[in-house]
Each structure stands twice: as structure tokens, then as C-alpha cells.
Amino acid sequence: MILLFLKEPEEISSRGKAWSLETGYYLYVGSAMKSLSERVKRHLVERKKRHWHIDFLREKAEVVAVLLLPSEHRREEQLSRFVSNYGKQVPGFGATDCKTDSNLYKLESEGVERVFSSIVLIWRDNCDSIFE
């Protein structure tokens, strides 16, 4: 998961899709089953060939925090549904290969702490059975 901050409203476009985003915090949920650290490193680099929706957002938004949740199983959809309880989804963003409507959520500042602390506590206590 990557927490980003958008300093001003922006129009983000990617391959025929566009999203009007307000100023504020956004939490992106993704998966990288083969090389989690390499994928996240790529997302932290500002200038790169754009491929995923998050690459287009990264050009405009600052990374505030990253939370890595290693797993033997793909948990992107479960995690995304869990995060949807804390923020407003950005429809169609980053979920092209999922059954969820979004992998990007707008969070109010108080929601940032709540979602991160909830996930860390659940992960600590349940590890790989998280969000089942």
C-alpha cells in the first residue's frame, strides 16, 4: 500500500481514462507477488516509463508512506475491500485485473491513522489469514 498526498486538485489521465482528484490523501492498494520491494521501489521513482495507473498519479502526488504486507497469497482484492471502509473509492483506478471497482481511496486525515493502525494490528495478529 502506498499513501500519497496531492497538494492541489489534478486531472489524472491514463490510456483513455481520466480521474478528477481533489487535494488530499490517497491510499493505493496493489500487489506484487514476485518482487514486492522492486515494485514499490519502482513506484517511488518519479520519472519512469508510465505503465500502471499509479505511475500517472505519481507524477502529481507525493509519497507519504508505504506499508508492505508480504504474503504467499494474492490479497489485493481483500485488502482493497477492507480499505474501502475507511475512504472513498476512485472508481476504475488501478483495478483492471481485480473484481473490485477501485484500488485507490481518498482518505480524510483522520482516516489515514485509522486504516494503517487497523491493518497493522490485524496483520500482526493474523498474518496470512488477513482479510479472509
Side-chain angles (χ1 to χ4, degrees):
M1 294 188 340
I2 301 174
L3 180 65
L4 304 118
F5 185 75
L6 199 55
K7 292 180 183 177
E8 54 189 57
E10 294 284 354
E11 182 83 14
I12 307 296
S13 298
S14 166
R15 297 185 190 96
K17 293 185 178 183
W19 300 272
S20 295
L21 302 180
E22 304 168 5
T23 300
Y25 290 100
Y26 289 86
L27 187 61
Y28 175 75
V29 176
S31 65
M33 297 305 297
K34 295 188 183 188
S35 58
L36 181 59
S37 60
E38 290 300 314
R39 175 71 60 87
V40 171
K41 256 200 284 190
R42 183 189 186 285
H43 290 325
L44 295 177
V45 172
E46 290 186 27
R47 294 184 186 201
K48 61 186 159 274
K49 182 178 178 186
R50 297 176 298 178
H51 179 73
W52 291 285
H53 293 155
I54 187 71
D55 296 336
F56 295 86
L57 176 56
R58 273 293 291 127
E59 292 179 339
K60 309 285 184 174
E62 173 187 353
V63 172
V64 176
V66 174
L67 179 60
L68 303 179
L69 301 169
S71 174
E72 296 287 322
H73 307 282
R74 189 177 172 110
R75 300 283 185 220
E76 181 178 2
E77 289 177 22
Q78 293 95 335
L79 186 56
S80 191
R81 281 193 291 274
F82 182 82
V83 172
S84 73
N85 295 311
Y86 295 87
K88 180 181 175 187
Q89 71 176 357
V90 177
F93 193 102
T96 54
D97 60 345
C98 297
K99 294 177 185 169
T100 58
D101 292 330
S102 182
N103 275 348
L104 183 67
Y105 298 87
K106 169 93 168 66
L107 300 175
E108 299 303 323
S109 55
E110 63 275 359
V112 171
E113 181 181 343
R114 288 189 358 230
V115 71
F116 270 81
S117 61
S118 296
I119 289 170
V120 169
L121 289 173
I122 292 169
W123 189 263
R124 181 195 68 195
D125 295 341
N126 299 306
C127 197
D128 209 37
S129 63
I130 192 168
F131 313 115
E132 290 189 298

